[in-house]
Amino acid sequence: MKNVAIIGSTGSIGTQTLEIARANKDINICALSCGSNIELIEKQAREFKPRLVGIWDEKAAKSLRISLADLDITVVSGMEGLIEIAEYADSDILVTAIVGMIGIKPTIAAIKAGKDIALANKETLVTAGHIIMPLAKKMGVRILPVDSEHSAIFQALQGNTHGDIAKILLTASGGPFRGKDREYLRNVRLADALKHPNWSMGRKITIDSATMVNKGLEVIEAKWLFDVNPSDIQVVVQPQSIIHSMVEYKDGSVIAQLGTPDMKLPIQYALFYPERRFLEGDRIDFWKLNQITLEEPDMDTFKGLNYAYEAISKGGSMPTVFNAANEKAVSMFLQEKIHFLDIYDIIRECMDNHKVTDNPDIDTILETEKMVYEYIESRW
Ligand code: NAD
Ligand code: MG
């Protein structure tokens, strides 16, 4: 039996993790948590009967306690609740399906409690990778990538030696605005940005894909997961999302992982690694798939990628500024308070105004996030 806890169980990754649990009877869901979707988490709790359920707001937790009173379930709330779920004694692995830097504290708590991490929550690694990776090593826990590109890289690394890697080829779909120029982007609406060509995902990451900030976050995520220099991570646009990423070795050999775009594959691989299991779904038909195209990304228009390379090369607290400014800007864009291109301007201005703190601890990272938020609120 594999005992699994999930933070963010009502979202895109969370619900797909539960689909894997439905199909694999040796998964026991022991703890679940969400932000505010009380109806769905109650349904999930009734179906999977975890011992611990968390919801962010204490008022919502009170009403969840009443509606789940017939079951033997403890309901927790807030950051304390998230940490309780992350550390839950009976769990073997924590799926971090929560969105944003709010995942930092629970992820660290889980690692300290000796849990493996199936990591979807990239914002945590982008901002605190320098703390998380050494801590995981010290605690002997595994950080198993759920992000499709990082799962592909992880799969392409199996059986090989770290020192033999020449570079990582991180693929990108290019998002809904691939091939468009700045003039076009000036007037795009929220609904256009939310139409991803290949993947159905949460709202925040869908906007990040449209700006290509997502690919920037993924460059930094790959740096931490695989211990490679950002200059050895090359982004390649692969519009059909069939090649999920590749690794080039020093002898010139390139190993890629391919598949139809389905997040259940990387989620399942992380949960059962190194075992491969049957997964229902479409297969690539190589007779019908008559082309796989590849392109160079347009980093002048989609500045998100450039800013990420700059943030990680400055290091210290700068990736936190890049990420926090983006989180705030995207939330404003989702509320239709700013235009699409303002997202880049906000990130740029926040990075320009920041003096880097080297090797920030968790308090400094969260303090930096707060300062970035306040700065944006005062300016926009
Ligand atoms: P989503 O918006 O669909 O779901 C987010 C989940 O987090 C929800 O369950 C929500 O209730 C929960 N949450 C939000 N605030 C919370 C809080 N304060 N306390 C507890 N729970 C809270 O997001 P998603 O698309 O599933 O993405 C989750 C993470 O996975 C992100 O970091 C994203 O970048 C990453 N990721 C997602 C995909 C994808 O296909 N969706 C692919 C790769 C990586
Ligand atoms: Mg990805």
Side-chain angles (χ1 to χ4, degrees):
M1 203 46 99
K2 186 142 236 169
N3 295 302
V4 177
I6 308 174
I7 51 172
S9 67
T10 58
S12 163
I13 295 292
T15 52
Q16 293 182 87
T17 305
L18 291 175
E19 281 183 54
I20 304 287
R22 264 184 212 111
N24 291 276
K25 294 302 162 208
D26 56 345
I27 289 185
N28 170 45
I29 299 293
C30 58
L32 292 176
S33 101
C34 77
S36 59
N37 193 340
I38 189 162
E39 289 84 19
L40 183 54
I41 201 145
E42 183 187 343
K43 262 173 100 178
Q44 293 178 341
R46 292 199 173 276
E47 179 182 355
F48 292 96
K49 309 212 164 37
R51 302 300 300 275
L52 201 56
V53 167
I55 189 156
W56 182 251
D57 178 51
E58 174 51 27
K59 250 170 79 190
K62 270 194 184 128
S63 86
L64 196 55
R65 267 175 216 123
I66 296 167
S67 47
L68 291 174
D70 57 315
L71 298 173
D72 183 17
I73 293 178
T74 305
V75 178
V76 293
S77 67
M79 183 51 75
E80 248 170 63
L82 272 176
I83 289 174
E84 223 178 297
I85 286 171
E87 301 173 331
Y88 186 54
D90 289 351
S91 87
D92 304 311
I93 186 163
L94 175 72
V95 180
T96 61
I98 195 165
V99 56
M101 287 174 70
I102 193 168
I104 294 178
K105 281 186 171 173
T107 303
I108 288 179
I111 297 170
K112 284 188 175 159
K115 313 295 178 191
D116 286 336
I117 307 290
L119 186 140
N121 176 225
K122 63 189 85 179
E123 296 89 348
T124 281
L125 216 46
V126 166
T127 54
H130 60 290
I131 296 169
I132 286 170
M133 295 313 289
L135 182 64
K137 193 167 177 196
K138 180 175 149 211
M139 293 305 301
V141 308
R142 299 187 291 197
I143 308 288
L144 298 152
V146 167
D147 211 344
S148 57
E149 296 78 2
H150 304 75
S151 175
I153 295 161
F154 185 53
Q155 293 178 58
L157 289 170
Q158 298 302 309
N160 291 290
T161 305
H162 185 270
D164 293 341
I165 301 172
K167 66 178 171 188
I168 298 230
L169 296 149
L170 187 73
T171 55
S173 71
F177 304 136
R178 182 176 63 89
K180 306 293 190 201
D181 59 12
R182 269 185 81 79
E183 207 34 56
Y184 180 93
L185 295 181
R186 205 174 296 287
N187 299 311
V188 293
R189 292 165 314 140
L190 175 60
D192 305 321
L194 284 171
K195 277 186 211 130
H196 196 279
N198 306 334
W199 300 95
S200 155
M201 310 179 285
R203 285 157 65 87
K204 191 255 176 187
I205 186 176
T206 303
I207 302 304
D208 289 349
S209 301
T211 56
M212 285 195 82
V213 165
N214 182 51
K215 213 44 59 180
L217 297 171
E218 290 185 357
V219 167
I220 304 176
E221 184 185 12
K223 176 228 155 29
W224 291 119
L225 282 171
F226 307 115
D227 188 22
V228 285
N229 286 323
S231 57
D232 294 331
I233 304 172
Q234 183 182 358
V235 173
V236 180
V237 175
Q238 205 289 282
Q240 299 86 12
S241 298
I242 296 292
I243 302 177
H244 297 306
S245 279
M246 310 181 259
V247 179
E248 182 186 307
Y249 289 93
K250 66 182 179 196
D251 60 359
S253 181
V254 177
I255 302 184
Q257 187 259 337
L258 283 70
T260 52
D262 181 353
M263 285 308 296
K264 288 196 288 301
L265 190 145
I267 296 169
Q268 177 170 293
Y269 191 73
L271 288 177
F272 293 112
Y273 173 80
E275 188 188 342
R276 277 192 195 274
R277 294 220 174 160
F278 174 75
L279 177 66
E280 203 158 297
D282 295 339
R283 302 294 187 254
I284 304 171
D285 182 340
F286 283 91
W287 282 0
K288 298 219 170 99
L289 177 86
N290 48 29
Q291 60 171 1
I292 295 178
T293 53
L294 297 156
E295 294 168 12
E296 189 180 336
D298 175 1
M299 297 207 239
D300 296 326
T301 305
F302 300 94
K303 296 172 189 286
L305 197 47
N306 265 335
Y307 293 169
Y309 278 107
E310 182 188 326
I312 192 64
S313 88
K314 297 212 163 118
S317 52
M318 195 56 96
T320 294
V321 173
F322 168 68
N323 179 74
N326 179 61
E327 281 192 34
K328 180 71 183 165
V330 170
S331 104
M332 289 161 75
F333 179 69
L334 285 169
Q335 296 167 56
E336 299 185 88
K337 287 185 179 159
I338 58 168
H339 295 290
F340 187 79
L341 289 176
D342 294 338
I343 299 173
Y344 296 131
D345 294 346
I346 289 175
I347 298 172
R348 180 72 269 163
E349 200 173 312
C350 288
M351 285 175 63
D352 285 343
N353 272 288
H354 182 66
K355 215 173 139 279
V356 172
T357 307
D358 288 327
N359 206 14
D361 59 15
I362 297 302
D363 288 341
T364 308
I365 290 170
L366 296 176
E367 188 54 36
T368 304
E369 178 195 33
K370 201 170 143 233
M371 273 162 43
V372 167
Y373 270 48
E374 284 168 3
Y375 180 75
I376 296 172
E377 273 157 16
S378 73
R379 292 277 289 100
W380 273 275

